[in-house]
Amino acid sequence: MEGLVVSEAKLAVNVQPSMGNRVPRAVLDELGSHLFRYSHVFGGVLLAYDVRIVGNNASVLGDIHPYPGVQLTGNLLLFSPRMNMLLEGTVAKLTSESIHLVVLGFASAVVVDGDIREEFEYLTKRDEEVYQSKYYKHHVIKVGTIIRFRVKSFDEETIHISGSLTGAGTGSVKWLDVGEKK
């Protein structure tokens, strides 16, 4: 899946003076406060980190900010979707106007009626709502299906994705993977 990036980072984390004798804990608390939030500094949503403290002592960084700064190096796992990227999500809800998804277990996404290709028709089968292909009866999208979709927009503040199923390579991942092997 596109949108996941491992980034090498060199960071400075400011530590409150009261945490001066527990620097590793203060660093983990600070980085933990950025998890699953969009950060313009990182250029994405921080999902995980593996950092090392460079040096043993925290030192004051500059004269203006009295908090000691700790230098870090390491890797950051970022989720940074961009326009036209292919992402995968699990269908959480279907309506006749939209498909609602969960991406990576935390981000919400929606594909609205105008962005679902005409090949798919909304049906109710055995009291279950589905989108089924008119041409390939086994290409079905229902709650629990993992689908691949194209990113139309990404709201950084709410971590909400607007997607599209109109391009090639979009639809049920299970169906797409079988179709690629033929």
Side-chain angles (χ1 to χ4, degrees), residues 11-82:
L11 306 168
V13 173
N14 293 320
V15 177
Q16 293 183 10
S18 64
M19 296 292 285
N21 61 346
R22 297 183 305 235
V23 171
R25 175 66 189 191
V27 168
L28 293 177
D29 287 348
E30 180 62 28
L31 289 174
S33 72
H34 294 282
L35 287 172
F36 300 106
R37 293 185 180 164
Y38 187 87
S39 169
H40 289 284
V41 173
F42 298 144
V45 177
L46 181 62
L47 300 180
Y49 55 86
D50 178 25
V51 295
R52 293 165 299 288
I53 296 175
V54 179
N56 294 331
N57 298 327
S59 59
V60 175
L61 296 176
D63 297 332
I64 298 173
H65 201 330
Y67 291 93
V70 179
Q71 299 294 324
L72 308 171
T73 62
N75 294 317
L76 306 176
L77 178 62
L78 302 170
F79 176 58
S80 186
R82 302 281 182 249

Side-chain angles (χ1 to χ4, degrees), residues 166-179:
T166 57
T170 61
S172 167
V173 170
K174 185 176 179 180
W175 173 258
L176 292 170
D177 288 347
V178 168

Side-chain angles (χ1 to χ4, degrees), residues 46 87 94 108 141 144 165:
L46 181 62
L87 296 181
L94 290 176
S108 63
I141 297 172
L165 288 175

Side-chain angles (χ1 to χ4, degrees), residues 112-146:
V112 295
D113 188 37
D115 294 317
I116 301 171
R117 63 180 174 268
E118 292 182 17
E119 167 188 345
F120 288 105
E121 60 184 342
Y122 178 79
L123 304 169
T124 303
K125 291 182 146 189
R126 295 185 278 287
D127 295 328
E128 184 177 41
E129 298 169 304
V130 300
Y131 275 93
Q132 182 176 12
S133 170
K134 295 175 186 175
Y135 312 118
Y136 307 102
K137 297 300 179 190
H138 295 290
H139 192 176
V140 176
I141 297 172
K142 59 185 178 179
V143 172
T145 303
I146 298 173

